[in-house]
Amino acid sequence: MKILLPDTTDLSALKIGESDTAVVYDPSVAIPAEHRDAEVLVAWRNTADNLADAARHLGDLKLVQTLAAGPDAVLAAGFSPDVVVTSGRSLHDETVAEHTLALVLALVRRLDLMRDAQRDAVWDEEFLEAQRDPATEHLYTLAGAHVCIWGFGSIARTLAPMFELLGAQVTGVASSAGTRFGYEVVDDAGLHAHLAGVDVLISLLPATPQTEKAFGAPLLDAMKPGAVFVNVGRGATVDEQALVDALTSGRLRAAALDVMQQEPLPADSPLWSTPNLLLTPHAAGNRPRGAAALIARNLEALRAGGPLENVVDRT
């Protein structure tokens, strides 16, 4: 098999079959004509034009292995239904969980306000008073807080115990209610009522037609006073104007976005200057761990005609 490997991540550890050929390609430009006979395309940080071109011209393609946890960019490219798409689920569990924890702690402890005070050379007595005031001290700690993770998959399985260690109660939201990984999970229909008791809402939602702007004014209005919101899923899932309005009015205490509707974020975006908002440049994952091993397993399964890992349901 001819396997196309992106030059945007180190896959030198990948072991391929004796009859396989690995070709490193640039995912920012069209696949060269001499490599359009490839049977496997590994995708990471590909442009939309590159993927669309690959979908049109790679006629022998059998598998697209994206290294992203969410396959939305690959699915949008229009690959033939005969092409199997597999995701990078599990490759970003630790890195995304770590970044999410950092964002939540930054918001709860209000490191953004202390950063601003440092910039202005101010010893922030108002902050210190609020932190020790019995009426508001609970806002500055995860001990006793209710953390809800929306999109309770493999990343949530890694993330949830981190919050428990800090004394938080953890619940989840998924397509069906029940128990996952030992945590109570409500379904999407139950989220609105569930938010009344949530102190920290974390979104790990993928980008689908059903999740577009899922976090908007109705859910913002349902959140309890003093709650914070963190999005490390996909930017398309947030109504950014509704978020700006809630932060500006003080309806929402604070928020952090690692993903936005448009990336890179334009210089004239109101998000840059929205109060109580922390932004990071889609940095939560950014480096798939264990990618070579996952690719190797799926290549072997493809040769043997066996089941592949992380197959994306395209029905």
PDB file of all heavy atoms in Angstrom, residues 4 25-27 29-32 35-43 46-64 73-74 77-80 83:
ATOM      1  N   LEU A   4       0.206   7.985   2.645  1.00  0.00           N
ATOM      2  CA  LEU A   4       0.597   9.385   2.670  1.00  0.00           C
ATOM      3  C   LEU A   4       0.620   9.874   4.106  1.00  0.00           C
ATOM      4  O   LEU A   4      -0.393   9.803   4.817  1.00  0.00           O
ATOM      5  CB  LEU A   4      -0.382  10.227   1.849  1.00  0.00           C
ATOM      6  CG  LEU A   4      -0.474   9.894   0.358  1.00  0.00           C
ATOM      7  CD1 LEU A   4      -1.468  10.821  -0.341  1.00  0.00           C
ATOM      8  CD2 LEU A   4       0.898   9.991  -0.309  1.00  0.00           C
ATOM      9  N   TYR A  25       4.003  14.073   2.842  1.00  0.00           N
ATOM     10  CA  TYR A  25       3.430  15.121   1.988  1.00  0.00           C
ATOM     11  C   TYR A  25       3.168  16.392   2.793  1.00  0.00           C
ATOM     12  O   TYR A  25       3.135  16.384   4.026  1.00  0.00           O
ATOM     13  CB  TYR A  25       2.130  14.634   1.346  1.00  0.00           C
ATOM     14  CG  TYR A  25       0.953  14.554   2.290  1.00  0.00           C
ATOM     15  CD1 TYR A  25      -0.004  15.568   2.337  1.00  0.00           C
ATOM     16  CD2 TYR A  25       0.783  13.458   3.144  1.00  0.00           C
ATOM     17  CE1 TYR A  25      -1.081  15.499   3.206  1.00  0.00           C
ATOM     18  CE2 TYR A  25      -0.295  13.386   4.017  1.00  0.00           C
ATOM     19  CZ  TYR A  25      -1.225  14.407   4.048  1.00  0.00           C
ATOM     20  OH  TYR A  25      -2.286  14.343   4.913  1.00  0.00           O
ATOM     21  N   ASP A  26       2.967  17.476   2.074  1.00  0.00           N
ATOM     22  CA  ASP A  26       2.661  18.779   2.658  1.00  0.00           C
ATOM     23  C   ASP A  26       1.145  18.945   2.689  1.00  0.00           C
ATOM     24  O   ASP A  26       0.510  19.067   1.635  1.00  0.00           O
ATOM     25  CB  ASP A  26       3.305  19.874   1.810  1.00  0.00           C
ATOM     26  CG  ASP A  26       3.042  21.285   2.351  1.00  0.00           C
ATOM     27  OD1 ASP A  26       2.220  21.431   3.281  1.00  0.00           O
ATOM     28  OD2 ASP A  26       3.630  22.245   1.822  1.00  0.00           O
ATOM     29  N   PRO A  27       0.516  18.966   3.865  1.00  0.00           N
ATOM     30  CA  PRO A  27      -0.949  19.036   3.922  1.00  0.00           C
ATOM     31  C   PRO A  27      -1.529  20.422   3.673  1.00  0.00           C
ATOM     32  O   PRO A  27      -2.737  20.605   3.801  1.00  0.00           O
ATOM     33  CB  PRO A  27      -1.257  18.572   5.350  1.00  0.00           C
ATOM     34  CG  PRO A  27      -0.056  18.923   6.129  1.00  0.00           C
ATOM     35  CD  PRO A  27       1.107  18.796   5.195  1.00  0.00           C
ATOM     36  N   VAL A  29      -0.946  21.960   0.669  1.00  0.00           N
ATOM     37  CA  VAL A  29      -1.081  22.077  -0.791  1.00  0.00           C
ATOM     38  C   VAL A  29      -1.689  20.780  -1.333  1.00  0.00           C
ATOM     39  O   VAL A  29      -1.817  19.791  -0.619  1.00  0.00           O
ATOM     40  CB  VAL A  29       0.286  22.346  -1.460  1.00  0.00           C
ATOM     41  CG1 VAL A  29       0.873  23.663  -0.978  1.00  0.00           C
ATOM     42  CG2 VAL A  29       1.261  21.199  -1.196  1.00  0.00           C
ATOM     43  N   ALA A  30      -2.045  20.809  -2.608  1.00  0.00           N
ATOM     44  CA  ALA A  30      -2.652  19.638  -3.229  1.00  0.00           C
ATOM     45  C   ALA A  30      -1.673  18.457  -3.261  1.00  0.00           C
ATOM     46  O   ALA A  30      -0.455  18.643  -3.372  1.00  0.00           O
ATOM     47  CB  ALA A  30      -3.107  19.975  -4.644  1.00  0.00           C
ATOM     48  N   ILE A  31      -2.220  17.255  -3.142  1.00  0.00           N
ATOM     49  CA  ILE A  31      -1.401  16.054  -3.233  1.00  0.00           C
ATOM     50  C   ILE A  31      -0.789  15.981  -4.639  1.00  0.00           C
ATOM     51  O   ILE A  31      -1.511  16.113  -5.631  1.00  0.00           O
ATOM     52  CB  ILE A  31      -2.245  14.787  -2.976  1.00  0.00           C
ATOM     53  CG1 ILE A  31      -2.943  14.864  -1.609  1.00  0.00           C
ATOM     54  CG2 ILE A  31      -1.385  13.530  -3.078  1.00  0.00           C
ATOM     55  CD1 ILE A  31      -2.044  14.859  -0.421  1.00  0.00           C
ATOM     56  N   PRO A  32       0.528  15.780  -4.776  1.00  0.00           N
ATOM     57  CA  PRO A  32       1.145  15.686  -6.104  1.00  0.00           C
ATOM     58  C   PRO A  32       0.523  14.564  -6.935  1.00  0.00           C
ATOM     59  O   PRO A  32       0.114  13.527  -6.408  1.00  0.00           O
ATOM     60  CB  PRO A  32       2.620  15.391  -5.792  1.00  0.00           C
ATOM     61  CG  PRO A  32       2.828  15.925  -4.399  1.00  0.00           C
ATOM     62  CD  PRO A  32       1.531  15.700  -3.688  1.00  0.00           C
ATOM     63  N   HIS A  35       1.321  10.858  -6.574  1.00  0.00           N
ATOM     64  CA  HIS A  35       0.953  10.145  -5.352  1.00  0.00           C
ATOM     65  C   HIS A  35      -0.566  10.031  -5.185  1.00  0.00           C
ATOM     66  O   HIS A  35      -1.036   9.672  -4.104  1.00  0.00           O
ATOM     67  CB  HIS A  35       1.557  10.843  -4.131  1.00  0.00           C
ATOM     68  CG  HIS A  35       3.054  10.857  -4.135  1.00  0.00           C
ATOM     69  ND1 HIS A  35       3.795   9.720  -4.372  1.00  0.00           N
ATOM     70  CD2 HIS A  35       3.945  11.877  -3.956  1.00  0.00           C
ATOM     71  CE1 HIS A  35       5.090  10.030  -4.328  1.00  0.00           C
ATOM     72  NE2 HIS A  35       5.204  11.325  -4.086  1.00  0.00           N
ATOM     73  N   ARG A  36      -1.280  10.268  -6.247  1.00  0.00           N
ATOM     74  CA  ARG A  36      -2.743  10.177  -6.156  1.00  0.00           C
ATOM     75  C   ARG A  36      -3.249   8.733  -6.248  1.00  0.00           C
ATOM     76  O   ARG A  36      -4.452   8.496  -6.237  1.00  0.00           O
ATOM     77  CB  ARG A  36      -3.388  11.043  -7.246  1.00  0.00           C
ATOM     78  CG  ARG A  36      -3.224  12.538  -6.970  1.00  0.00           C
ATOM     79  CD  ARG A  36      -3.842  13.394  -8.047  1.00  0.00           C
ATOM     80  NE  ARG A  36      -3.712  14.812  -7.712  1.00  0.00           N
ATOM     81  CZ  ARG A  36      -4.057  15.803  -8.519  1.00  0.00           C
ATOM     82  NH1 ARG A  36      -4.569  15.521  -9.726  1.00  0.00           N
ATOM     83  NH2 ARG A  36      -3.922  17.057  -8.142  1.00  0.00           N
ATOM     84  N   ASP A  37      -2.303   7.800  -6.310  1.00  0.00           N
ATOM     85  CA  ASP A  37      -2.679   6.387  -6.270  1.00  0.00           C
ATOM     86  C   ASP A  37      -2.604   5.822  -4.847  1.00  0.00           C
ATOM     87  O   ASP A  37      -2.707   4.605  -4.642  1.00  0.00           O
ATOM     88  CB  ASP A  37      -1.774   5.564  -7.189  1.00  0.00           C
ATOM     89  CG  ASP A  37      -0.292   5.695  -6.837  1.00  0.00           C
ATOM     90  OD1 ASP A  37       0.069   6.633  -6.079  1.00  0.00           O
ATOM     91  OD2 ASP A  37       0.507   4.871  -7.313  1.00  0.00           O
ATOM     92  N   ALA A  38      -2.452   6.697  -3.873  1.00  0.00           N
ATOM     93  CA  ALA A  38      -2.328   6.252  -2.484  1.00  0.00           C
ATOM     94  C   ALA A  38      -3.616   5.576  -2.013  1.00  0.00           C
ATOM     95  O   ALA A  38      -4.722   5.950  -2.412  1.00  0.00           O
ATOM     96  CB  ALA A  38      -2.005   7.434  -1.578  1.00  0.00           C
ATOM     97  N   GLU A  39      -3.447   4.595  -1.153  1.00  0.00           N
ATOM     98  CA  GLU A  39      -4.592   3.874  -0.584  1.00  0.00           C
ATOM     99  C   GLU A  39      -4.915   4.329   0.834  1.00  0.00           C
ATOM    100  O   GLU A  39      -6.016   4.064   1.339  1.00  0.00           O
ATOM    101  CB  GLU A  39      -4.324   2.374  -0.594  1.00  0.00           C
ATOM    102  CG  GLU A  39      -4.186   1.793  -1.998  1.00  0.00           C
ATOM    103  CD  GLU A  39      -3.731   0.354  -1.975  1.00  0.00           C
ATOM    104  OE1 GLU A  39      -4.580  -0.529  -1.735  1.00  0.00           O
ATOM    105  OE2 GLU A  39      -2.521   0.115  -2.185  1.00  0.00           O
ATOM    106  N   VAL A  40      -3.952   4.983   1.475  1.00  0.00           N
ATOM    107  CA  VAL A  40      -4.162   5.455   2.847  1.00  0.00           C
ATOM    108  C   VAL A  40      -3.680   6.899   2.945  1.00  0.00           C
ATOM    109  O   VAL A  40      -2.573   7.222   2.499  1.00  0.00           O
ATOM    110  CB  VAL A  40      -3.404   4.587   3.871  1.00  0.00           C
ATOM    111  CG1 VAL A  40      -3.581   5.149   5.286  1.00  0.00           C
ATOM    112  CG2 VAL A  40      -3.879   3.143   3.815  1.00  0.00           C
ATOM    113  N   LEU A  41      -4.523   7.752   3.538  1.00  0.00           N
ATOM    114  CA  LEU A  41      -4.168   9.143   3.788  1.00  0.00           C
ATOM    115  C   LEU A  41      -4.237   9.394   5.284  1.00  0.00           C
ATOM    116  O   LEU A  41      -5.291   9.209   5.903  1.00  0.00           O
ATOM    117  CB  LEU A  41      -5.128  10.084   3.056  1.00  0.00           C
ATOM    118  CG  LEU A  41      -4.954  11.584   3.336  1.00  0.00           C
ATOM    119  CD1 LEU A  41      -3.651  12.098   2.722  1.00  0.00           C
ATOM    120  CD2 LEU A  41      -6.151  12.379   2.820  1.00  0.00           C
ATOM    121  N   VAL A  42      -3.112   9.783   5.869  1.00  0.00           N
ATOM    122  CA  VAL A  42      -3.092  10.196   7.272  1.00  0.00           C
ATOM    123  C   VAL A  42      -3.171  11.716   7.299  1.00  0.00           C
ATOM    124  O   VAL A  42      -2.385  12.395   6.624  1.00  0.00           O
ATOM    125  CB  VAL A  42      -1.821   9.701   7.983  1.00  0.00           C
ATOM    126  CG1 VAL A  42      -1.800  10.183   9.433  1.00  0.00           C
ATOM    127  CG2 VAL A  42      -1.742   8.177   7.935  1.00  0.00           C
ATOM    128  N   ALA A  43      -4.117  12.246   8.061  1.00  0.00           N
ATOM    129  CA  ALA A  43      -4.373  13.690   8.055  1.00  0.00           C
ATOM    130  C   ALA A  43      -4.083  14.303   9.418  1.00  0.00           C
ATOM    131  O   ALA A  43      -4.501  13.768  10.452  1.00  0.00           O
ATOM    132  CB  ALA A  43      -5.828  13.951   7.669  1.00  0.00           C
ATOM    133  N   ASN A  46      -4.362  19.469   8.112  1.00  0.00           N
ATOM    134  CA  ASN A  46      -4.552  19.695   6.677  1.00  0.00           C
ATOM    135  C   ASN A  46      -5.464  20.891   6.452  1.00  0.00           C
ATOM    136  O   ASN A  46      -6.387  21.135   7.228  1.00  0.00           O
ATOM    137  CB  ASN A  46      -5.193  18.465   6.017  1.00  0.00           C
ATOM    138  CG  ASN A  46      -4.333  17.233   6.118  1.00  0.00           C
ATOM    139  OD1 ASN A  46      -3.930  16.832   7.203  1.00  0.00           O
ATOM    140  ND2 ASN A  46      -4.054  16.602   4.992  1.00  0.00           N
ATOM    141  N   THR A  47      -5.219  21.616   5.362  1.00  0.00           N
ATOM    142  CA  THR A  47      -6.141  22.675   4.993  1.00  0.00           C
ATOM    143  C   THR A  47      -7.403  22.070   4.402  1.00  0.00           C
ATOM    144  O   THR A  47      -7.412  20.925   3.924  1.00  0.00           O
ATOM    145  CB  THR A  47      -5.508  23.621   3.965  1.00  0.00           C
ATOM    146  OG1 THR A  47      -5.258  22.885   2.753  1.00  0.00           O
ATOM    147  CG2 THR A  47      -4.201  24.215   4.488  1.00  0.00           C
ATOM    148  N   ALA A  48      -8.479  22.857   4.413  1.00  0.00           N
ATOM    149  CA  ALA A  48      -9.728  22.396   3.812  1.00  0.00           C
ATOM    150  C   ALA A  48      -9.550  22.132   2.324  1.00  0.00           C
ATOM    151  O   ALA A  48     -10.096  21.156   1.780  1.00  0.00           O
ATOM    152  CB  ALA A  48     -10.827  23.431   4.044  1.00  0.00           C
ATOM    153  N   ASP A  49      -8.751  22.971   1.650  1.00  0.00           N
ATOM    154  CA  ASP A  49      -8.523  22.781   0.213  1.00  0.00           C
ATOM    155  C   ASP A  49      -7.757  21.493  -0.059  1.00  0.00           C
ATOM    156  O   ASP A  49      -8.043  20.777  -1.023  1.00  0.00           O
ATOM    157  CB  ASP A  49      -7.756  23.971  -0.359  1.00  0.00           C
ATOM    158  CG  ASP A  49      -8.622  25.229  -0.478  1.00  0.00           C
ATOM    159  OD1 ASP A  49      -9.862  25.099  -0.401  1.00  0.00           O
ATOM    160  OD2 ASP A  49      -8.050  26.319  -0.630  1.00  0.00           O
ATOM    161  N   ASN A  50      -6.776  21.197   0.778  1.00  0.00           N
ATOM    162  CA  ASN A  50      -6.009  19.959   0.599  1.00  0.00           C
ATOM    163  C   ASN A  50      -6.907  18.736   0.726  1.00  0.00           C
ATOM    164  O   ASN A  50      -6.839  17.809  -0.090  1.00  0.00           O
ATOM    165  CB  ASN A  50      -4.877  19.888   1.637  1.00  0.00           C
ATOM    166  CG  ASN A  50      -4.226  18.522   1.718  1.00  0.00           C
ATOM    167  OD1 ASN A  50      -4.703  17.656   2.432  1.00  0.00           O
ATOM    168  ND2 ASN A  50      -3.139  18.325   0.983  1.00  0.00           N
ATOM    169  N   LEU A  51      -7.759  18.714   1.741  1.00  0.00           N
ATOM    170  CA  LEU A  51      -8.633  17.566   1.950  1.00  0.00           C
ATOM    171  C   LEU A  51      -9.665  17.438   0.835  1.00  0.00           C
ATOM    172  O   LEU A  51      -9.958  16.328   0.365  1.00  0.00           O
ATOM    173  CB  LEU A  51      -9.328  17.676   3.308  1.00  0.00           C
ATOM    174  CG  LEU A  51      -8.425  17.494   4.536  1.00  0.00           C
ATOM    175  CD1 LEU A  51      -9.189  17.811   5.814  1.00  0.00           C
ATOM    176  CD2 LEU A  51      -7.861  16.078   4.589  1.00  0.00           C
ATOM    177  N   ALA A  52     -10.213  18.568   0.401  1.00  0.00           N
ATOM    178  CA  ALA A  52     -11.195  18.517  -0.683  1.00  0.00           C
ATOM    179  C   ALA A  52     -10.557  18.019  -1.971  1.00  0.00           C
ATOM    180  O   ALA A  52     -11.157  17.234  -2.724  1.00  0.00           O
ATOM    181  CB  ALA A  52     -11.815  19.897  -0.884  1.00  0.00           C
ATOM    182  N   ASP A  53      -9.317  18.459  -2.232  1.00  0.00           N
ATOM    183  CA  ASP A  53      -8.598  17.997  -3.415  1.00  0.00           C
ATOM    184  C   ASP A  53      -8.315  16.499  -3.327  1.00  0.00           C
ATOM    185  O   ASP A  53      -8.458  15.771  -4.314  1.00  0.00           O
ATOM    186  CB  ASP A  53      -7.289  18.775  -3.558  1.00  0.00           C
ATOM    187  CG  ASP A  53      -6.490  18.354  -4.781  1.00  0.00           C
ATOM    188  OD1 ASP A  53      -6.821  18.827  -5.883  1.00  0.00           O
ATOM    189  OD2 ASP A  53      -5.560  17.536  -4.631  1.00  0.00           O
ATOM    190  N   ALA A  54      -7.938  16.039  -2.139  1.00  0.00           N
ATOM    191  CA  ALA A  54      -7.683  14.610  -1.948  1.00  0.00           C
ATOM    192  C   ALA A  54      -8.961  13.797  -2.173  1.00  0.00           C
ATOM    193  O   ALA A  54      -8.923  12.719  -2.772  1.00  0.00           O
ATOM    194  CB  ALA A  54      -7.137  14.363  -0.549  1.00  0.00           C
ATOM    195  N   ALA A  55     -10.075  14.320  -1.694  1.00  0.00           N
ATOM    196  CA  ALA A  55     -11.347  13.613  -1.869  1.00  0.00           C
ATOM    197  C   ALA A  55     -11.715  13.481  -3.346  1.00  0.00           C
ATOM    198  O   ALA A  55     -12.295  12.478  -3.770  1.00  0.00           O
ATOM    199  CB  ALA A  55     -12.450  14.344  -1.112  1.00  0.00           C
ATOM    200  N   ARG A  56     -11.341  14.480  -4.131  1.00  0.00           N
ATOM    201  CA  ARG A  56     -11.667  14.464  -5.564  1.00  0.00           C
ATOM    202  C   ARG A  56     -10.735  13.560  -6.354  1.00  0.00           C
ATOM    203  O   ARG A  56     -11.163  12.896  -7.308  1.00  0.00           O
ATOM    204  CB  ARG A  56     -11.584  15.883  -6.137  1.00  0.00           C
ATOM    205  CG  ARG A  56     -12.745  16.782  -5.775  1.00  0.00           C
ATOM    206  CD  ARG A  56     -12.752  18.035  -6.630  1.00  0.00           C
ATOM    207  NE  ARG A  56     -11.522  18.806  -6.471  1.00  0.00           N
ATOM    208  CZ  ARG A  56     -11.363  19.767  -5.583  1.00  0.00           C
ATOM    209  NH1 ARG A  56     -12.364  20.067  -4.752  1.00  0.00           N
ATOM    210  NH2 ARG A  56     -10.230  20.451  -5.482  1.00  0.00           N
ATOM    211  N   HIS A  57      -9.458  13.504  -6.001  1.00  0.00           N
ATOM    212  CA  HIS A  57      -8.458  12.913  -6.891  1.00  0.00           C
ATOM    213  C   HIS A  57      -7.830  11.606  -6.428  1.00  0.00           C
ATOM    214  O   HIS A  57      -7.180  10.931  -7.224  1.00  0.00           O
ATOM    215  CB  HIS A  57      -7.343  13.930  -7.154  1.00  0.00           C
ATOM    216  CG  HIS A  57      -7.808  15.137  -7.908  1.00  0.00           C
ATOM    217  ND1 HIS A  57      -7.762  16.411  -7.387  1.00  0.00           N
ATOM    218  CD2 HIS A  57      -8.353  15.251  -9.153  1.00  0.00           C
ATOM    219  CE1 HIS A  57      -8.232  17.261  -8.272  1.00  0.00           C
ATOM    220  NE2 HIS A  57      -8.602  16.586  -9.341  1.00  0.00           N
ATOM    221  N   LEU A  58      -7.997  11.227  -5.158  1.00  0.00           N
ATOM    222  CA  LEU A  58      -7.380   9.979  -4.689  1.00  0.00           C
ATOM    223  C   LEU A  58      -8.371   8.834  -4.905  1.00  0.00           C
ATOM    224  O   LEU A  58      -9.061   8.387  -3.983  1.00  0.00           O
ATOM    225  CB  LEU A  58      -6.967  10.088  -3.216  1.00  0.00           C
ATOM    226  CG  LEU A  58      -5.550  10.645  -2.952  1.00  0.00           C
ATOM    227  CD1 LEU A  58      -5.390  12.041  -3.521  1.00  0.00           C
ATOM    228  CD2 LEU A  58      -5.234  10.647  -1.462  1.00  0.00           C
ATOM    229  N   GLY A  59      -8.412   8.347  -6.125  1.00  0.00           N
ATOM    230  CA  GLY A  59      -9.412   7.359  -6.510  1.00  0.00           C
ATOM    231  C   GLY A  59      -9.207   5.971  -5.944  1.00  0.00           C
ATOM    232  O   GLY A  59     -10.145   5.166  -5.924  1.00  0.00           O
ATOM    233  N   ASP A  60      -7.990   5.662  -5.495  1.00  0.00           N
ATOM    234  CA  ASP A  60      -7.710   4.329  -4.940  1.00  0.00           C
ATOM    235  C   ASP A  60      -7.789   4.304  -3.422  1.00  0.00           C
ATOM    236  O   ASP A  60      -7.473   3.284  -2.789  1.00  0.00           O
ATOM    237  CB  ASP A  60      -6.314   3.868  -5.369  1.00  0.00           C
ATOM    238  CG  ASP A  60      -6.198   3.693  -6.880  1.00  0.00           C
ATOM    239  OD1 ASP A  60      -7.209   3.308  -7.493  1.00  0.00           O
ATOM    240  OD2 ASP A  60      -5.107   3.942  -7.425  1.00  0.00           O
ATOM    241  N   LEU A  61      -8.210   5.409  -2.844  1.00  0.00           N
ATOM    242  CA  LEU A  61      -8.161   5.557  -1.398  1.00  0.00           C
ATOM    243  C   LEU A  61      -9.106   4.583  -0.695  1.00  0.00           C
ATOM    244  O   LEU A  61     -10.262   4.409  -1.084  1.00  0.00           O
ATOM    245  CB  LEU A  61      -8.538   6.995  -1.016  1.00  0.00           C
ATOM    246  CG  LEU A  61      -8.085   7.510   0.343  1.00  0.00           C
ATOM    247  CD1 LEU A  61      -6.570   7.491   0.463  1.00  0.00           C
ATOM    248  CD2 LEU A  61      -8.613   8.930   0.560  1.00  0.00           C
ATOM    249  N   LYS A  62      -8.591   3.939   0.355  1.00  0.00           N
ATOM    250  CA  LYS A  62      -9.388   3.017   1.166  1.00  0.00           C
ATOM    251  C   LYS A  62      -9.618   3.549   2.579  1.00  0.00           C
ATOM    252  O   LYS A  62     -10.636   3.246   3.200  1.00  0.00           O
ATOM    253  CB  LYS A  62      -8.686   1.666   1.264  1.00  0.00           C
ATOM    254  CG  LYS A  62      -8.544   0.934  -0.052  1.00  0.00           C
ATOM    255  CD  LYS A  62      -7.800  -0.379   0.151  1.00  0.00           C
ATOM    256  CE  LYS A  62      -7.643  -1.143  -1.165  1.00  0.00           C
ATOM    257  NZ  LYS A  62      -6.861  -2.400  -0.969  1.00  0.00           N
ATOM    258  N   LEU A  63      -8.647   4.327   3.081  1.00  0.00           N
ATOM    259  CA  LEU A  63      -8.706   4.758   4.474  1.00  0.00           C
ATOM    260  C   LEU A  63      -8.172   6.170   4.624  1.00  0.00           C
ATOM    261  O   LEU A  63      -7.108   6.498   4.094  1.00  0.00           O
ATOM    262  CB  LEU A  63      -7.873   3.807   5.349  1.00  0.00           C
ATOM    263  CG  LEU A  63      -7.604   4.243   6.797  1.00  0.00           C
ATOM    264  CD1 LEU A  63      -8.891   4.290   7.608  1.00  0.00           C
ATOM    265  CD2 LEU A  63      -6.582   3.312   7.466  1.00  0.00           C
ATOM    266  N   VAL A  64      -8.919   6.986   5.362  1.00  0.00           N
ATOM    267  CA  VAL A  64      -8.410   8.267   5.840  1.00  0.00           C
ATOM    268  C   VAL A  64      -8.308   8.175   7.354  1.00  0.00           C
ATOM    269  O   VAL A  64      -9.322   8.017   8.044  1.00  0.00           O
ATOM    270  CB  VAL A  64      -9.317   9.448   5.451  1.00  0.00           C
ATOM    271  CG1 VAL A  64      -8.760  10.750   6.036  1.00  0.00           C
ATOM    272  CG2 VAL A  64      -9.436   9.565   3.945  1.00  0.00           C
ATOM    273  N   ALA A  73     -13.368  18.005  10.055  1.00  0.00           N
ATOM    274  CA  ALA A  73     -12.709  18.562   8.871  1.00  0.00           C
ATOM    275  C   ALA A  73     -12.629  17.533   7.751  1.00  0.00           C
ATOM    276  O   ALA A  73     -12.843  17.862   6.568  1.00  0.00           O
ATOM    277  CB  ALA A  73     -11.311  19.052   9.243  1.00  0.00           C
ATOM    278  N   VAL A  74     -12.333  16.280   8.094  1.00  0.00           N
ATOM    279  CA  VAL A  74     -12.266  15.216   7.087  1.00  0.00           C
ATOM    280  C   VAL A  74     -13.656  14.935   6.518  1.00  0.00           C
ATOM    281  O   VAL A  74     -13.832  14.775   5.309  1.00  0.00           O
ATOM    282  CB  VAL A  74     -11.650  13.946   7.686  1.00  0.00           C
ATOM    283  CG1 VAL A  74     -11.846  12.750   6.761  1.00  0.00           C
ATOM    284  CG2 VAL A  74     -10.157  14.164   7.944  1.00  0.00           C
ATOM    285  N   ALA A  77     -14.859  17.239   3.808  1.00  0.00           N
ATOM    286  CA  ALA A  77     -14.127  17.251   2.531  1.00  0.00           C
ATOM    287  C   ALA A  77     -14.843  16.502   1.427  1.00  0.00           C
ATOM    288  O   ALA A  77     -14.557  16.704   0.246  1.00  0.00           O
ATOM    289  CB  ALA A  77     -12.726  16.673   2.737  1.00  0.00           C
ATOM    290  N   GLY A  78     -15.755  15.602   1.788  1.00  0.00           N
ATOM    291  CA  GLY A  78     -16.533  14.904   0.773  1.00  0.00           C
ATOM    292  C   GLY A  78     -15.908  13.640   0.233  1.00  0.00           C
ATOM    293  O   GLY A  78     -16.077  13.319  -0.949  1.00  0.00           O
ATOM    294  N   PHE A  79     -15.222  12.884   1.065  1.00  0.00           N
ATOM    295  CA  PHE A  79     -14.661  11.606   0.617  1.00  0.00           C
ATOM    296  C   PHE A  79     -15.787  10.627   0.283  1.00  0.00           C
ATOM    297  O   PHE A  79     -16.868  10.669   0.883  1.00  0.00           O
ATOM    298  CB  PHE A  79     -13.747  11.009   1.687  1.00  0.00           C
ATOM    299  CG  PHE A  79     -12.440  11.713   1.826  1.00  0.00           C
ATOM    300  CD1 PHE A  79     -12.257  12.712   2.787  1.00  0.00           C
ATOM    301  CD2 PHE A  79     -11.376  11.408   0.991  1.00  0.00           C
ATOM    302  CE1 PHE A  79     -11.058  13.377   2.914  1.00  0.00           C
ATOM    303  CE2 PHE A  79     -10.157  12.068   1.109  1.00  0.00           C
ATOM    304  CZ  PHE A  79      -9.997  13.055   2.067  1.00  0.00           C
ATOM    305  N   SER A  80     -15.521   9.754  -0.646  1.00  0.00           N
ATOM    306  CA  SER A  80     -16.498   8.754  -1.062  1.00  0.00           C
ATOM    307  C   SER A  80     -16.964   7.919   0.132  1.00  0.00           C
ATOM    308  O   SER A  80     -16.179   7.626   1.034  1.00  0.00           O
ATOM    309  CB  SER A  80     -15.878   7.831  -2.121  1.00  0.00           C
ATOM    310  OG  SER A  80     -16.671   6.675  -2.309  1.00  0.00           O
ATOM    311  N   VAL A  83     -14.803   5.068   1.337  1.00  0.00           N
ATOM    312  CA  VAL A  83     -13.567   5.320   2.069  1.00  0.00           C
ATOM    313  C   VAL A  83     -13.865   5.284   3.569  1.00  0.00           C
ATOM    314  O   VAL A  83     -14.750   5.991   4.051  1.00  0.00           O
ATOM    315  CB  VAL A  83     -12.960   6.677   1.683  1.00  0.00           C
ATOM    316  CG1 VAL A  83     -11.714   6.968   2.526  1.00  0.00           C
ATOM    317  CG2 VAL A  83     -12.625   6.707   0.201  1.00  0.00           C
TER     318      VAL A  83
END
